[in-house]
Amino acid sequence: DWEKEAQLLNLNMITLTHLTKLYLPKMVDQKRGYILNIASTAAFQPGPLMSTYFASKAYVLSFSEALHNEVKSFGIKVSTLCPPATATSFFVNAEMVDSTLAKRKKMPTAREVAEYGYKSMLKGKSVAVYGFINKIMAASAGFTPRSLAVKVARKMIE
C-alpha cells in the first residue's frame, strides 16, 4: 500500500532529517549535544518483501554516520542504534506474525535495546548494534556477496 510506504519513508527519513536539522544548530552553538537515531540490523543488507523498510533504515545509518563525522569537532555525539527484531508490536503492524523472524524464540525487549542504545550514545559510539550475533552479521555484510545476503534476508522475512 503506497500510503503506508509513504508514511514509513516520511517517518524514517524525512522527519528524522528535519528534526536533526532543527535541533543541530543550537547544539553547535552550545558546543555539546547528543543525537540518537534508530536504524536496524536491516540497514546492513537489502530486504526483499520489505524493501522500503530496509532501504529507509540504510538511509538512517548512512545519514547518521556521516553526521557523526561532521559534528564531532563541535562536541556533539551522534549515534545510530541498530537493533535486531525486538519484542514489540512491529510484526503485527507489518503483518509479519508468521515470518521466520517473528518466530524467533528469544527477542530482546524494547527496554533492553533502549538502554543499550542510550549507554552507547553516552560513550560516543557511532554505530551501536545490539547483540553479539548481530554485530558479527553487521560486520560481515561488507564481505558477504550481495546475492547471498538478499537470499538470506528473504528466507528470514518469509
Side-chain angles (χ1 to χ4, degrees):
D1 174 51
W2 169 244
E3 287 302 317
K4 277 187 175 181
E5 289 198 29
Q7 288 173 355
L8 180 143
L9 293 170
N10 188 46
L11 176 65
N12 289 348
M13 298 182 340
I14 305 301
T15 303
L16 176 136
T17 305
H18 187 207
L19 286 171
T20 300
K21 298 293 182 174
L22 285 174
Y23 286 95
L24 194 56
K26 183 149 183 145
M27 291 180 194
V28 169
D29 289 345
Q30 294 176 342
K31 302 244 186 288
R32 64 182 177 88
Y34 293 92
I35 297 172
L36 177 61
N37 287 329
I38 311 301
S40 167
T41 53
F44 297 97
Q45 73 271 324
L49 308 176
M50 291 183 66
S51 56
T52 306
Y53 176 80
F54 276 58
S56 73
K57 292 304 184 175
Y59 172 88
V60 173
L61 179 60
S62 182
F63 172 75
S64 301
E65 283 185 292
L67 193 63
H68 171 85
N69 179 272
E70 290 175 20
V71 300
K72 67 182 174 182
S73 64
F74 295 101
I76 301 164
K77 295 179 180 176
V78 179
S79 296
T80 312
L81 175 59
C82 298
T86 304
T88 66
S89 60
F90 175 87
F91 295 102
V92 172
N93 294 334
E95 299 174 5
M96 292 180 55
V97 176
D98 293 326
S99 69
T100 303
L101 204 51
K103 292 180 180 179
R104 293 171 87 187
K105 299 264 188 257
K106 175 77 171 110
M107 283 191 236
T109 66
R111 181 182 187 94
E112 290 168 333
V113 171
E115 287 176 354
Y116 175 80
Y118 180 73
K119 289 175 184 174
S120 297
M121 178 190 67
L122 293 179
K123 291 178 187 174
K125 278 184 132 181
S126 173
V127 178
V129 179
Y130 182 92
F132 179 71
I133 298 297
N134 299 312
K135 287 177 186 170
I136 292 171
M137 183 276 305
S140 69
F143 305 106
T144 305
R146 302 285 284 177
S147 59
L148 177 61
V150 171
K151 288 176 187 173
V152 170
R154 184 178 183 120
K155 285 286 182 198
M156 293 299 292
I157 295 167
E158 286 180 331

